[in-house]
Short mmCIF file of all heavy atoms in Angstrom, two decimals:
data_model
loop_
_atom_site.label_atom_id
_atom_site.label_comp_id
_atom_site.label_asym_id
_atom_site.label_seq_id
_atom_site.Cartn_x
_atom_site.Cartn_y
_atom_site.Cartn_z
N LEU A 205 119.11 -108.66 201.72
CA LEU A 205 118.66 -108.97 203.08
C LEU A 205 119.84 -109.00 204.05
O LEU A 205 119.76 -108.48 205.17
CB LEU A 205 117.92 -110.30 203.09
CG LEU A 205 117.38 -110.77 204.45
CD1 LEU A 205 116.34 -109.81 204.98
CD2 LEU A 205 116.80 -112.18 204.33
N LEU A 211 122.97 -111.14 208.44
CA LEU A 211 122.94 -112.60 208.49
C LEU A 211 124.30 -113.19 208.11
O LEU A 211 125.01 -112.66 207.26
CB LEU A 211 121.88 -113.15 207.52
CG LEU A 211 120.41 -112.87 207.83
CD1 LEU A 211 119.54 -113.54 206.77
CD2 LEU A 211 120.04 -113.37 209.21
N GLY A 214 125.90 -118.82 205.95
CA GLY A 214 125.25 -120.12 206.12
C GLY A 214 123.81 -120.00 206.56
O GLY A 214 122.95 -120.81 206.18
N GLU A 215 123.52 -118.97 207.37
CA GLU A 215 122.14 -118.74 207.81
C GLU A 215 121.26 -118.33 206.63
O GLU A 215 120.12 -118.78 206.53
CB GLU A 215 122.13 -117.65 208.88
CG GLU A 215 122.82 -118.06 210.18
CD GLU A 215 122.99 -116.91 211.16
OE1 GLU A 215 122.88 -115.73 210.74
OE2 GLU A 215 123.24 -117.18 212.35
N LEU A 216 121.79 -117.49 205.75
CA LEU A 216 121.03 -117.06 204.58
C LEU A 216 120.76 -118.23 203.64
O LEU A 216 119.64 -118.40 203.15
CB LEU A 216 121.78 -115.95 203.84
CG LEU A 216 121.12 -115.47 202.54
CD1 LEU A 216 119.78 -114.80 202.84
CD2 LEU A 216 122.04 -114.51 201.79
N CYS A 217 121.77 -119.06 203.39
CA CYS A 217 121.60 -120.19 202.47
C CYS A 217 120.56 -121.20 202.98
O CYS A 217 119.89 -121.86 202.19
CB CYS A 217 122.94 -120.89 202.24
SG CYS A 217 124.13 -119.91 201.29
N ALA A 218 120.44 -121.32 204.30
CA ALA A 218 119.49 -122.27 204.88
C ALA A 218 118.10 -121.67 205.06
O ALA A 218 117.16 -122.38 205.43
CB ALA A 218 120.01 -122.76 206.23
N LEU A 219 117.94 -120.38 204.78
CA LEU A 219 116.68 -119.69 205.05
C LEU A 219 115.58 -120.12 204.07
O LEU A 219 115.78 -120.13 202.86
CB LEU A 219 116.90 -118.18 204.94
CG LEU A 219 115.84 -117.27 205.55
CD1 LEU A 219 115.77 -117.46 207.07
CD2 LEU A 219 116.15 -115.80 205.22
N THR A 220 114.44 -120.49 204.62
CA THR A 220 113.27 -120.84 203.81
C THR A 220 112.16 -119.82 204.07
O THR A 220 112.20 -119.09 205.06
CB THR A 220 112.76 -122.25 204.13
OG1 THR A 220 112.40 -122.31 205.52
CG2 THR A 220 113.82 -123.30 203.84
N TRP A 221 111.16 -119.83 203.20
CA TRP A 221 110.08 -118.87 203.34
C TRP A 221 109.24 -119.11 204.58
O TRP A 221 108.55 -118.22 205.07
CB TRP A 221 109.21 -118.86 202.09
CG TRP A 221 109.86 -118.04 201.01
CD1 TRP A 221 110.59 -118.50 199.96
CD2 TRP A 221 109.86 -116.62 200.91
NE1 TRP A 221 111.06 -117.45 199.21
CE2 TRP A 221 110.61 -116.28 199.77
CE3 TRP A 221 109.31 -115.59 201.68
CZ2 TRP A 221 110.83 -114.97 199.38
CZ3 TRP A 221 109.51 -114.28 201.30
CH2 TRP A 221 110.26 -113.97 200.16
N GLY A 222 109.32 -120.31 205.13
CA GLY A 222 108.64 -120.58 206.39
C GLY A 222 109.26 -119.83 207.56
O GLY A 222 108.64 -119.68 208.62
N ASP A 223 110.51 -119.34 207.37
CA ASP A 223 111.21 -118.58 208.41
C ASP A 223 111.01 -117.07 208.26
O ASP A 223 111.48 -116.30 209.10
CB ASP A 223 112.72 -118.88 208.36
CG ASP A 223 113.02 -120.36 208.50
OD1 ASP A 223 112.39 -121.00 209.36
OD2 ASP A 223 113.87 -120.87 207.75
N ILE A 224 110.39 -116.66 207.16
CA ILE A 224 110.22 -115.23 206.87
C ILE A 224 108.76 -114.85 207.10
O ILE A 224 107.86 -115.41 206.47
CB ILE A 224 110.63 -114.90 205.43
CG1 ILE A 224 112.09 -115.32 205.20
CG2 ILE A 224 110.44 -113.42 205.13
CD1 ILE A 224 112.54 -115.23 203.75
N HIS A 225 108.53 -113.92 208.01
CA HIS A 225 107.17 -113.51 208.37
C HIS A 225 106.98 -112.05 207.97
O HIS A 225 107.31 -111.13 208.72
CB HIS A 225 106.94 -113.71 209.86
CG HIS A 225 107.34 -115.07 210.37
ND1 HIS A 225 106.70 -116.22 209.96
CD2 HIS A 225 108.33 -115.47 211.21
CE1 HIS A 225 107.25 -117.27 210.55
NE2 HIS A 225 108.26 -116.84 211.31
N LEU A 226 106.47 -111.86 206.75
CA LEU A 226 106.36 -110.51 206.21
C LEU A 226 105.29 -109.69 206.94
O LEU A 226 105.43 -108.47 207.07
CB LEU A 226 106.04 -110.57 204.72
CG LEU A 226 107.19 -111.11 203.84
CD1 LEU A 226 106.76 -111.13 202.38
CD2 LEU A 226 108.45 -110.27 204.01
N GLU A 228 104.60 -109.77 210.12
CA GLU A 228 105.23 -109.26 211.35
C GLU A 228 106.53 -108.52 211.06
O GLU A 228 107.13 -107.94 211.96
CB GLU A 228 105.52 -110.43 212.30
CG GLU A 228 104.30 -111.13 212.85
CD GLU A 228 103.71 -112.13 211.87
OE1 GLU A 228 104.34 -112.37 210.82
OE2 GLU A 228 102.62 -112.67 212.15
N LYS A 229 106.99 -108.59 209.82
CA LYS A 229 108.25 -107.96 209.39
C LYS A 229 109.42 -108.44 210.24
O LYS A 229 110.13 -107.67 210.88
CB LYS A 229 108.15 -106.43 209.44
CG LYS A 229 107.14 -105.86 208.46
CD LYS A 229 107.06 -104.36 208.55
CE LYS A 229 106.00 -103.83 207.59
NZ LYS A 229 105.81 -102.37 207.72
N GLU A 230 109.61 -109.75 210.20
CA GLU A 230 110.73 -110.33 210.92
C GLU A 230 111.18 -111.62 210.25
O GLU A 230 110.43 -112.26 209.50
CB GLU A 230 110.39 -110.59 212.38
CG GLU A 230 109.36 -111.69 212.60
CD GLU A 230 109.12 -111.96 214.07
OE1 GLU A 230 109.25 -111.01 214.87
OE2 GLU A 230 108.82 -113.13 214.41
N VAL A 231 112.44 -111.97 210.51
CA VAL A 231 113.03 -113.21 210.01
C VAL A 231 113.42 -114.05 211.22
O VAL A 231 114.02 -113.54 212.17
CB VAL A 231 114.28 -112.92 209.14
CG1 VAL A 231 114.94 -114.22 208.71
CG2 VAL A 231 113.89 -112.11 207.92
N TYR A 232 113.09 -115.33 211.16
CA TYR A 232 113.42 -116.24 212.26
C TYR A 232 114.62 -117.09 211.84
O TYR A 232 114.55 -117.87 210.89
CB TYR A 232 112.23 -117.13 212.59
CG TYR A 232 112.46 -118.11 213.71
CD1 TYR A 232 113.15 -117.74 214.86
CD2 TYR A 232 112.00 -119.42 213.61
CE1 TYR A 232 113.36 -118.64 215.89
CE2 TYR A 232 112.19 -120.33 214.64
CZ TYR A 232 112.87 -119.93 215.78
OH TYR A 232 113.09 -120.83 216.81
N ILE A 233 115.74 -116.95 212.55
CA ILE A 233 116.96 -117.71 212.25
C ILE A 233 117.04 -118.90 213.19
O ILE A 233 117.15 -118.74 214.41
CB ILE A 233 118.21 -116.82 212.40
CG1 ILE A 233 118.11 -115.59 211.50
CG2 ILE A 233 119.47 -117.63 212.08
CD1 ILE A 233 117.94 -115.90 210.03
N GLN A 234 116.98 -120.09 212.62
CA GLN A 234 117.02 -121.30 213.45
C GLN A 234 117.91 -122.40 212.87
O GLN A 234 118.04 -123.47 213.44
CB GLN A 234 115.60 -121.85 213.63
CG GLN A 234 114.91 -122.20 212.32
CD GLN A 234 113.54 -122.79 212.52
OE1 GLN A 234 113.30 -123.48 213.51
NE2 GLN A 234 112.61 -122.53 211.59
N LYS A 235 118.55 -122.13 211.71
CA LYS A 235 119.41 -123.15 211.11
C LYS A 235 120.50 -122.49 210.25
O LYS A 235 120.40 -121.32 209.90
CB LYS A 235 118.59 -124.13 210.28
CG LYS A 235 117.70 -123.50 209.23
CD LYS A 235 116.78 -124.53 208.59
CE LYS A 235 115.85 -123.93 207.55
NZ LYS A 235 114.87 -123.00 208.11
N THR A 236 121.51 -123.27 209.95
CA THR A 236 122.60 -122.80 209.12
C THR A 236 123.06 -123.93 208.20
O THR A 236 122.88 -125.11 208.51
CB THR A 236 123.78 -122.31 209.98
OG1 THR A 236 124.78 -121.70 209.14
CG2 THR A 236 124.44 -123.44 210.74
N ILE A 268 122.67 -129.14 207.08
CA ILE A 268 121.89 -128.03 207.63
C ILE A 268 121.61 -128.38 209.09
O ILE A 268 121.00 -129.41 209.39
CB ILE A 268 120.57 -127.82 206.86
CG1 ILE A 268 120.89 -127.43 205.40
CG2 ILE A 268 119.72 -126.74 207.52
CD1 ILE A 268 119.66 -127.26 204.53
N ILE A 277 120.08 -118.47 217.60
CA ILE A 277 118.68 -118.69 217.26
C ILE A 277 117.92 -117.44 217.69
O ILE A 277 117.83 -117.15 218.88
CB ILE A 277 118.14 -119.95 217.98
CG1 ILE A 277 118.95 -121.17 217.54
CG2 ILE A 277 116.66 -120.15 217.69
CD1 ILE A 277 118.57 -122.45 218.27
N ARG A 278 117.37 -116.71 216.73
CA ARG A 278 116.86 -115.38 217.05
C ARG A 278 115.82 -114.91 216.04
O ARG A 278 115.76 -115.42 214.93
CB ARG A 278 118.01 -114.38 217.09
CG ARG A 278 118.73 -114.22 215.74
CD ARG A 278 120.14 -113.70 215.93
NE ARG A 278 120.80 -113.36 214.67
CZ ARG A 278 121.44 -114.25 213.91
NH1 ARG A 278 121.48 -115.52 214.24
NH2 ARG A 278 122.03 -113.85 212.79
N HIS A 279 115.02 -113.92 216.45
CA HIS A 279 114.10 -113.21 215.57
C HIS A 279 114.73 -111.86 215.23
O HIS A 279 115.14 -111.13 216.12
CB HIS A 279 112.75 -113.00 216.26
CG HIS A 279 111.97 -114.26 216.46
ND1 HIS A 279 111.08 -114.75 215.54
CD2 HIS A 279 111.97 -115.15 217.50
CE1 HIS A 279 110.55 -115.88 216.00
NE2 HIS A 279 111.07 -116.14 217.18
N ILE A 280 114.79 -111.54 213.94
CA ILE A 280 115.38 -110.28 213.50
C ILE A 280 114.31 -109.42 212.83
O ILE A 280 113.72 -109.85 211.83
CB ILE A 280 116.54 -110.51 212.50
CG1 ILE A 280 117.61 -111.41 213.12
CG2 ILE A 280 117.14 -109.18 212.06
CD1 ILE A 280 118.73 -111.75 212.16
N ILE A 282 112.86 -106.69 210.33
CA ILE A 282 113.37 -106.22 209.03
C ILE A 282 112.72 -104.88 208.69
O ILE A 282 111.53 -104.67 208.93
CB ILE A 282 113.12 -107.25 207.91
CG1 ILE A 282 111.65 -107.68 207.85
CG2 ILE A 282 114.01 -108.47 208.09
CD1 ILE A 282 111.34 -108.67 206.74
N LEU A 290 111.22 -108.17 199.58
CA LEU A 290 110.97 -109.59 199.79
C LEU A 290 109.60 -110.01 199.26
O LEU A 290 109.43 -111.14 198.77
CB LEU A 290 111.08 -109.93 201.28
CG LEU A 290 112.49 -109.97 201.88
CD1 LEU A 290 112.42 -110.07 203.40
CD2 LEU A 290 113.30 -111.11 201.32
N ARG A 295 107.29 -116.81 198.63
CA ARG A 295 106.83 -118.18 198.47
C ARG A 295 106.33 -118.64 199.84
O ARG A 295 106.23 -117.84 200.76
CB ARG A 295 107.98 -119.10 198.00
CG ARG A 295 108.56 -118.73 196.65
CD ARG A 295 107.60 -119.05 195.51
NE ARG A 295 108.24 -118.87 194.22
CZ ARG A 295 108.36 -117.70 193.59
NH1 ARG A 295 107.89 -116.58 194.16
NH2 ARG A 295 108.93 -117.62 192.41
N TYR A 296 106.08 -119.94 200.00
CA TYR A 296 105.55 -120.42 201.27
C TYR A 296 106.23 -121.73 201.66
O TYR A 296 106.72 -122.47 200.81
CB TYR A 296 104.03 -120.62 201.16
CG TYR A 296 103.30 -119.34 200.82
CD1 TYR A 296 103.00 -119.04 199.49
CD2 TYR A 296 102.94 -118.43 201.81
CE1 TYR A 296 102.34 -117.87 199.16
CE2 TYR A 296 102.29 -117.25 201.49
CZ TYR A 296 101.99 -116.97 200.16
OH TYR A 296 101.36 -115.80 199.84
N GLY A 297 106.27 -121.98 202.94
CA GLY A 297 106.74 -123.26 203.45
C GLY A 297 108.23 -123.48 203.31
O GLY A 297 109.04 -122.65 203.69
N ASN A 298 108.59 -124.62 202.70
CA ASN A 298 109.99 -125.05 202.69
C ASN A 298 110.78 -124.60 201.47
O ASN A 298 111.90 -125.07 201.25
CB ASN A 298 110.04 -126.58 202.78
CG ASN A 298 109.50 -127.09 204.10
OD1 ASN A 298 109.69 -126.46 205.14
ND2 ASN A 298 108.82 -128.23 204.06
N GLU A 299 110.23 -123.71 200.68
CA GLU A 299 110.99 -123.19 199.55
C GLU A 299 112.14 -122.31 200.05
O GLU A 299 111.95 -121.46 200.91
CB GLU A 299 110.09 -122.35 198.61
CG GLU A 299 109.01 -123.14 197.91
CD GLU A 299 107.69 -123.13 198.67
OE1 GLU A 299 107.71 -122.87 199.90
OE2 GLU A 299 106.65 -123.36 198.04
N TYR A 300 113.33 -122.54 199.50
CA TYR A 300 114.48 -121.74 199.90
C TYR A 300 114.37 -120.32 199.34
O TYR A 300 113.95 -120.14 198.19
CB TYR A 300 115.79 -122.37 199.42
CG TYR A 300 116.16 -123.64 200.15
CD1 TYR A 300 115.85 -124.89 199.62
CD2 TYR A 300 116.82 -123.59 201.38
CE1 TYR A 300 116.17 -126.05 200.30
CE2 TYR A 300 117.16 -124.74 202.05
CZ TYR A 300 116.83 -125.98 201.51
OH TYR A 300 117.15 -127.12 202.18
N LEU A 301 114.76 -119.33 200.12
CA LEU A 301 114.71 -117.94 199.68
C LEU A 301 115.55 -117.74 198.42
O LEU A 301 115.13 -117.03 197.49
CB LEU A 301 115.22 -117.01 200.80
CG LEU A 301 115.49 -115.56 200.40
CD1 LEU A 301 114.19 -114.86 200.01
CD2 LEU A 301 116.19 -114.80 201.52
#
Side-chain angles (χ1 to χ4, degrees):
L205 180 63
L211 293 182
E215 294 171 343
L216 177 64
C217 290
L219 197 64
T220 60
W221 280 99
D223 303 317
I224 302 171
H225 310 296
L226 292 179
E228 294 81 7
K229 295 179 182 176
E230 68 177 30
V231 176
Y232 180 42
I233 303 302
Q234 59 178 327
K235 53 188 179 294
T236 187
I268 297 177
I277 300 176
R278 62 203 188 276
H279 291 270
I280 303 176
I282 53 178
L290 286 170
R295 298 288 188 277
Y296 300 94
N298 295 324
E299 294 94 338
Y300 289 97
L301 169 65

